Amino acid sequence: MTGNIYRGQAGLPFSSALRIYEPLSAFPEEQRAALQKAGARTASRAAVENAELQASLGRITRPGGDPFPTGRTDLVRIVPAPPEPEQPRRHTSSGAPDTAGTSDAGGPGSDASAAAGIGPALLYCPSQLVLRAGLAANALMEGIHGPLAELLIPEEQRDKHQERIDLVKAREGSTRVHTRASTWGIPFSWFSLFQESDHQDVVESGGRIVTVRVWARIGEALERVRYAVANLALAAPDLDMLDDMTQLTEWLELFHPGSVVELDYGAVADKVYPDDSPMDVRLGIECLAEGDMTGAAAAYRRLASRWIPIRQLARAS
């Protein structure tokens, strides 16, 4: 397997992620050395994505029927801490291809730091595959009937993985999960965290968009989603997106104030970019707050026309 998997993901569901990157000081002291060591092994961002994808494919094809990660190794993504706010910037990757054959910029603040000749502080996002796999399995078990659940993930394997989760919790003393994932589209609530002026990287290879990554400081993201929650609570308290945004707010509040939030579109970016979804969500909420139902409906139609066809692919043969 090569970087072609990362670039194409042919036959695999579109997968997008919302990640939190924290400064090293936010992690337990006994965990910091392992994070630094894992980050130092990272040849490129594309290499991390390839390694994670290859590991997931390996788990579902290995003998023994255990689809869960063992936790022996954990991938870590790193980005430079952003510089102090200046003018809103938008950066498009156009540099030389990296080791996996994609043009892949380092992250927020990387160009400014390079220009200054100063190595920036780093922010870390551990993959936490053991914890995330356990949460995903629980969600799957809640949504299907017993015999099918046992067929997909035998109880013996679920119990074995619970032991791994208990070990991780005992070792790290924290259950904060730094990554949220979504397949076949991006939840509309995620777009409330970002604006058009946020730092952005467009990663391209072979004439295709591999992914688009957007970053925002966690304080800015929290301010935006709290604004959205406050207005939706008054104007549309029964809207499902209000519950999603409330959960997002509670999640973001768990992390260090110096953190950065990243939206990683993944391969779906090639279908939707350039994407005005953050603007449409913001305009829709503003219209609801002002009682402009026509404007709110128009914003939703724009979102729906962009994302419903993507979500329908989940049921395509």
Side-chain angles (χ1 to χ4, degrees):
M1 298 183 189
T2 68
N4 291 329
I5 291 180
Y6 171 65
R7 290 197 293 271
Q9 294 193 20
L12 297 174
F14 291 134
S15 180
S16 307
L18 189 67
R19 301 186 180 98
I20 307 293
Y21 292 79
E22 290 191 288
L24 199 62
S25 60
F27 295 91
E29 189 170 354
E30 59 274 14
Q31 192 180 350
R32 296 173 191 173
L35 285 170
Q36 288 178 304
K37 184 177 180 180
R41 290 197 304 264
T42 303
S44 70
R45 180 61 182 270
V48 174
E49 309 300 342
N50 270 329
E52 188 165 271
L53 182 57
Q54 290 182 43
S56 67
L57 294 175
R59 287 194 296 274
I60 62 176
T61 58
R62 70 189 177 196
D66 184 358
F68 292 104
T70 62
R72 284 192 290 266
T73 60
D74 197 20
L75 296 167
V76 176
R77 292 171 176 84
I78 57 175
V79 297
E84 289 302 311
E86 294 176 355
Q87 303 237 340
R89 295 174 300 148
R90 180 181 178 281
H91 172 74
T92 300
S93 293
S94 58
D98 65 15
T99 55
T102 60
S103 178
D104 207 346
S110 56
D111 46 358
S113 301
I118 301 173
L122 297 177
L123 304 179
Y124 297 80
C125 178
S127 291
Q128 298 173 296
L129 293 177
V130 169
L131 291 178
R132 289 168 52 207
L135 292 172
N138 290 340
L140 180 64
M141 294 302 106
E142 292 170 2
I144 58 179
H145 297 294
L148 181 56
E150 181 64 26
L151 178 64
L152 291 174
I153 310 178
E155 184 177 359
E156 178 185 355
Q157 301 299 343
R158 297 199 301 271
D159 292 343
K160 183 178 179 181
H161 189 67
Q162 184 59 50
E163 294 176 4
R164 298 181 187 127
I165 293 174
D166 294 340
L167 286 174
V168 169
K169 290 181 178 179
R171 182 175 66 245
E172 299 181 1
S174 172
T175 56
R176 295 179 307 153
V177 177
H178 288 68
T179 301
R180 294 189 168 204
S182 175
T183 54
W184 300 117
I186 296 174
F188 292 166
S189 59
W190 290 10
F191 293 117
S192 66
L193 307 179
F194 302 94
Q195 291 187 0
E196 311 87 87
S197 59
D198 287 336
H199 187 101
Q200 187 177 108
D201 276 343
V202 180
V203 184
E204 299 178 271
S205 176
R208 296 182 58 192
I209 298 176
V210 176
T211 188
V212 173
R213 301 190 187 106
V214 188
W215 292 276
R217 291 176 176 81
I218 197 168
E220 295 172 346
L222 269 169
E223 183 178 343
R224 294 163 184 170
V225 72
R226 285 168 177 162
Y227 168 85
V229 167
N231 282 284
L232 285 182
L234 293 174
D238 297 326
L239 201 64
D240 290 341
M241 192 160 57
L242 175 58
D243 291 335
D244 295 342
M245 289 180 175
T246 301
Q247 292 176 20
L248 268 183
T249 304
E250 294 171 350
W251 180 59
L252 292 176
E253 288 172 344
L254 297 174
F255 297 95
H256 190 282
S259 302
V260 160
V261 187
E262 174 191 84
L263 173 58
D264 188 344
Y265 277 67
V268 76
D270 195 54
K271 302 294 184 183
V272 300
Y273 188 80
D275 180 31
D276 293 327
S277 297
M279 180 177 66
D280 288 334
V281 168
R282 177 172 54 82
L283 290 177
I285 292 169
E286 290 175 354
C287 287
L288 282 175
E290 296 168 1
D292 179 6
M293 305 310 292
T294 301
Y300 178 77
R301 281 196 299 271
R302 291 193 296 271
L303 283 166
S305 65
R306 189 178 303 124
W307 289 102
I308 287 179
I310 300 295
R311 291 172 181 169
Q312 288 174 338
L313 293 174
R315 292 179 291 277
S317 59

